[in-house]
Amino acid sequence: QVQLVESGGGLVQPGGSLRLSCAASGSIVSFYYMGWYRQAPGKQRDLVASIYSGGTTNLADSVKGRFTISRDNAKNTMYLQMNGLKPEDTAVYYCNAHATIGIYWGQGTQVTVSS
């Protein structure tokens, strides 16, 4: 049983920064894909950024130049560094990971950008 535990969300002012973390626990697995998704109230869940085990990354156009995704395979942890936050970044951010044995989601962490 794989668990994804997220942390780092919170309330920040526009232009501020947050660093989200997603740590896997419960089972020893290797994720070939990990990604951050976000969902605002009444909106669909959209991909923010993704990273593969080999290091290839993808970022949504709306966050390019502001967000950076990374992962530490040894720690089985993924990060999302969010700089220059905007009110439209406000959402619940979810961690997603794909392993050979399954696909897993974190519980979500709230990010609120407001003055």
Side-chain angles (χ1 to χ4, degrees), residues 1 4 7 9 11 14 20-21 30 32 37-40 42-43 62 64 74 84 86 92 102 106-107:
Q1 184 175 338
L4 301 179
S7 61
L11 173 65
L20 305 184
S21 299
S30 179
Y32 60 86
Y37 295 73
R38 67 186 181 187
Q39 186 171 26
K43 305 292 180 59
S62 60
K64 286 182 178 178
K86 304 175 180 180
V92 177
Q107 79 286 355

Side-chain angles (χ1 to χ4, degrees), residues 20-72:
L20 305 184
S21 299
C22 172
S25 63
S27 298
I28 301 176
V29 296
S30 179
F31 300 121
Y32 60 86
Y33 169 94
M34 299 187 79
W36 288 100
Y37 295 73
R38 67 186 181 187
Q39 186 171 26
K43 305 292 180 59
Q44 67 179 21
R45 188 175 299 185
D46 292 327
L47 175 67
V48 177
S50 62
I51 184 167
Y52 290 84
S53 59
T56 301
T57 61
N58 173 260
L59 284 85
D61 289 341
S62 60
V63 305
K64 286 182 178 178
R66 300 188 297 121
F67 291 10
T68 302
I69 188 171
S70 62
R71 63 187 286 176
D72 186 334

Side-chain angles (χ1 to χ4, degrees), residues 94-107:
Y94 296 91
C95 175
N96 173 249
H98 296 195
T100 302
I101 61 173
I103 301 173
Y104 307 92
W105 288 93
Q107 79 286 355

Side-chain angles (χ1 to χ4, degrees), residues 13 18-19 31 41 50 63 71 78 81 83 89 104 112:
Q13 295 184 0
L18 284 173
R19 181 174 180 257
F31 300 121
S50 62
V63 305
R71 63 187 286 176
M78 176 179 64
Q81 179 65 48
N83 299 324
D89 295 318
Y104 307 92
T112 302

